[in-house]
Amino acid sequence: VQLVESGGGLVQPGGSLRLSCTASGFTFDDYAMAWVRQAPGQGLEWVSTISPAGSSVYYSDSVKGRFTISRDNTKNTLYLQMYGLRPEDTAVFYCARHNVPKLTPLESTASQYAVRGRGTEVTVSS
């Protein structure tokens, strides 16, 4: 199982970034996928989840209305489009696979997504 994130970088407050994650080694469309993040000196924080077919999406209150999660199952790729970035969004963002196939939790925590990539760093600063 491999998850490889890309798209992070340095952006000014109010700016946008699009993160991508390419998955391999498992049946991608069997699993709900998520983005989780870890800010400097903080623990893992769940950000967003998308169901296996992409029909249901969920967001943490801290990013709702600013971030959009999506997936392309033909390309085994997960995305996170981020708008209106704030300094408090500065973190390493990880692509993550839910622990149980064919299950999409209505409420998520980072611990439900044990398989994660190595992360991509997002820094929001002027």
Side-chain angles (χ1 to χ4, degrees):
V1 175
Q2 191 171 22
L3 299 169
V4 180
E5 303 92 339
S6 61
L10 173 64
V11 63
Q12 292 187 340
S16 302
L17 280 176
R18 188 194 197 202
L19 307 184
S20 299
C21 168
T22 302
S24 61
F26 65 99
T27 304
F28 185 66
D29 58 6
D30 270 353
Y31 288 85
M33 297 294 295
W35 290 94
V36 300
R37 66 184 179 184
Q38 187 166 25
Q42 304 295 315
L44 281 172
E45 177 193 14
W46 169 76
V47 174
S48 182
T49 291
I50 187 167
S51 61
S55 54
S56 299
V57 295
Y58 305 91
Y59 300 95
S60 68
D61 288 343
S62 61
V63 307
K64 196 174 297 181
R66 300 188 298 122
F67 291 9
T68 301
I69 191 171
S70 62
R71 65 192 294 165
D72 185 338
N73 287 344
T74 67
K75 297 181 179 178
N76 285 4
T77 302
L78 178 72
Y79 303 99
L80 186 68
Q81 179 68 56
M82 304 185 293
Y83 298 101
L85 283 161
R86 305 166 180 168
E88 54 264 38
D89 293 316
T90 295
V92 178
F93 282 72
Y94 299 92
C95 169
R97 190 190 78 176
H98 195 266
N99 298 339
V100 179
K102 305 186 189 298
L103 177 66
T104 304
L106 296 179
E107 295 185 1
S108 287
T109 62
S111 62
Q112 296 170 315
Y113 302 88
V115 177
R116 296 187 284 266
R118 298 182 70 174
T120 186
E121 190 166 1
V122 173
T123 302
V124 185
S125 175
S126 55

